[in-house]
Amino acid sequence: MTATPNETDTIGSPEGESAPIAPDTENAPRPPGRPWALPLFPAALTLAITVIGIGTPSLWLDEAATISMTTRSYGDMLRVFHNMDLVHALYYVLMKPWVTVFGTGEIALRLPSALAMTAAAAGITVIVRSRLGTSAGLLAGLAWAVGLQTTRWAHEGRSYAMTAAVAVLATYLFLRAVDGDERRPWRWFAGYVPAIMLLGFLHLHGSLLVAAHGVTLLLTRPGARRLVCWLLSAGVAIAPLVPFALIARDQKDQVRWLPEPSWEVAWTQLQFFAGGRPLVAPVVTLAVIGVAAGIRAHRTRTAGSRPGVSPSLPAVALPWLVVPTALLVAVSLVSDPVFYFRYTTYCLPAIALLVGAGLARVLAAARRRADQAAVMAVAVVALVAPSLQDHVYFRKQESRPEDMRKAADVVSAHARPGDAIVYLAGIVRWSAATYPDVFGRLRDVDMRVDPVTAANLGGRDVFPRNLAPRLAHTNRVWVMNHRSLEPHGPVIERRERAVQAAGPWRRVGTWNYMGGWLVLFERTGPYRSSK
């Protein structure tokens, strides 16, 4: 699903001369003037694109977890991790100060993800420039900016975009440490260790990037000194993640819904990387061209010198793209499923590296500026046009499974002081955390223990037999359901009967919204206990 158009060599000089097909980045002069300025353009474009429509879709259940956790004290937050959501602990810890300052609205909650994707664009540009030159770096960054998955995960108040940014940072530090002309690799490995730790604690699966870097080294043969440095650094980085993983494994019930590996899952993953079905062919084609261009440039650069002193772009991107997915699928085949496409969001930048290299190679083959313009136009049509509809879709409410904002709007418009609410299950209360300022005004008569005290997201409900007396002196009560509940489940039916037993009521209104429904009852007579 991640479509990113990408680049390679050099498009052309300002005077119109054609660019070399495979620039020698080792011997060629560095970009003139301010080399830090080049990544700013893809970064700015990424931010500009990702903030468009970022607040349009409603917050939903996953983001409700972020809100619920980050509006607690750190002590209350830590108590939850004994029971659930340990794999997201660091994300919640990092987000709490942000939420404290900027609030829990759609834009405020999602903006850190957009900023993370922006940082990733800059890092992608720098990485590709170091392997294939300025034009390839610029095109790779632009490919990331217009990629569908870049926008999709920038519009999610969860950790996925941050994992992509940290993976880019870790890979950049890794490359600086193992490059052949670096005489003090330890200073880069000193940054690499906390970057890998950060990635693994943001999402445990991110630690598999270390395995991808190991494959890169096997393909590169950097020499014993750098290999030993990397092994020691990787060991230090992974050491705290091992007990973290063992503890998190006790919470595997949270992911019982993960699918078994299948060819359908593999096809979904390919579409995820490409950015959707229409983009599979052009993205894969450009990636293959990018691999060939990267190998050719690497051979040109290392001709006459000891081979393998600096990893080629394919040696970096291919393991990054393939190894984490392969390992997760392999584990899922022999144990409980642990693979889901969004868990590999941190691998998406690898596609941008290859597509950028492929696009730059195609552009370099066109010698005249007019031909290059024509090639760029075709590339835009092939890579951007098929994703426009999905870009629009992900900025609409229909792209989310729930429209909790509509439910909140209904309550805001019709609620009165003293109104009560019955959440038919804990997950419904969890979903209401999306808009706490609205639903928090209602008296939660169905709650026995609140989520903070219960150290979970849904709290604990009273037993259905005890619900009716709690409604005895309530004149108006809202009843709220959620899409995940069985329509006629026994517990739900008992709660609904308990509400009716607390009557008599008249139905004031029923409101359906994407992901659930709300019903408002108003008392028409005194409550008479059945006891």
Side-chain angles (χ1 to χ4, degrees), residues 9 55 63 81 177 194 212 227 267 270 310 347 352 449 464 471-472 526 528 530:
D9 275 339
E63 293 173 312
F81 302 145
L227 182 59
W267 173 236
L270 180 59
S310 179
C347 298
V449 182
L471 291 168
R528 293 180 177 84
S530 59

Side-chain angles (χ1 to χ4, degrees), residues 82-366:
H82 292 289
N83 309 313
M84 60 183 297
D85 262 8
L86 179 63
V87 294
H88 300 298
L90 180 60
Y91 174 70
Y92 296 145
V93 169
L94 294 175
M95 283 292 290
K96 180 172 174 54
W98 176 276
V99 167
T100 301
V101 175
F102 297 105
T104 60
E106 293 90 347
I107 296 176
L109 197 70
R110 294 166 179 164
L111 187 57
S113 295
L115 294 174
M117 289 304 197
T118 299
I124 288 168
T125 304
V126 171
I127 289 173
V128 177
R129 180 178 63 185
S130 70
R131 307 296 111 179
L132 291 178
T134 300
S135 295
L138 178 62
L139 289 170
L142 296 178
W144 177 257
V146 302
L148 180 64
Q149 297 302 342
T150 303
T151 289
R152 172 63 186 92
W153 302 108
H155 286 197
E156 190 81 17
R158 300 296 280 168
S159 65
Y160 304 112
M162 290 188 183
T163 65
V166 177
V168 171
L169 172 62
T171 301
Y172 169 77
L173 295 170
F174 166 76
L175 290 174
R176 290 302 303 264
V178 301
D179 272 349
D181 57 355
E182 176 54 54
R183 296 182 178 181
R184 293 184 293 172
W186 274 114
R187 63 176 181 168
W188 299 105
F189 280 125
Y192 177 74
V193 169
I196 291 295
M197 288 182 182
L198 178 61
L199 179 58
F201 283 121
L202 277 173
H203 199 287
L204 188 57
H205 293 352
S207 59
L208 296 178
L209 183 64
V210 170
H213 290 165
V215 173
T216 296
L217 286 180
L218 290 176
L219 295 172
T220 306
R221 303 188 304 277
R225 178 168 174 257
R226 281 177 172 74
L227 182 59
V228 169
C229 287
W230 176 80
L231 287 171
L232 292 174
S233 301
V236 172
I238 293 297
L241 296 174
V242 173
F244 181 71
L246 294 175
I247 297 171
R249 193 177 178 210
D250 293 335
Q251 300 177 4
K252 63 183 180 181
D253 285 348
Q254 284 190 265
V255 290
R256 283 179 298 179
W257 53 270
L258 291 177
E260 298 283 346
S262 65
W263 287 113
E264 182 179 357
V265 169
W267 173 236
T268 299
Q269 181 71 356
L270 180 59
Q271 294 179 77
F272 174 69
F273 282 149
R277 181 177 298 183
L279 286 165
V280 169
V283 167
V284 170
T285 299
L286 278 174
V288 171
I289 296 173
V291 169
I295 292 173
R296 179 180 177 182
H298 183 69
R299 288 175 177 171
T300 301
R301 186 168 61 246
T302 58
S305 63
R306 186 177 66 85
V309 292
S310 179
S312 67
L313 186 72
V316 175
L318 288 177
W320 187 357
L321 187 66
V322 174
V323 170
T325 296
L327 290 175
L328 290 173
V329 170
V331 172
S332 299
L333 287 171
V334 300
S335 181
D336 296 324
V338 294
F339 172 78
Y340 197 59
F341 64 87
R342 70 181 179 216
Y343 296 167
T344 59
T345 302
Y346 68 94
C347 298
L348 293 176
I351 276 286
L353 305 185
L354 293 176
V355 175
L359 185 56
R361 177 65 184 88
V362 171
L363 288 174

Side-chain angles (χ1 to χ4, degrees), residues 16 43 78 101 119 137 189 198 211 225 241 251 258 293 359 373 389 402 405-406 414 421 428 475 505:
L78 292 174
V101 175
F189 280 125
L198 178 61
R225 178 168 174 257
L241 296 174
Q251 300 177 4
L258 291 177
L359 185 56
Q389 185 175 354
E402 300 157 13
R405 184 167 51 211
K406 182 177 180 181
H414 299 280
I421 189 167
V428 191
N475 291 324
W505 312 98

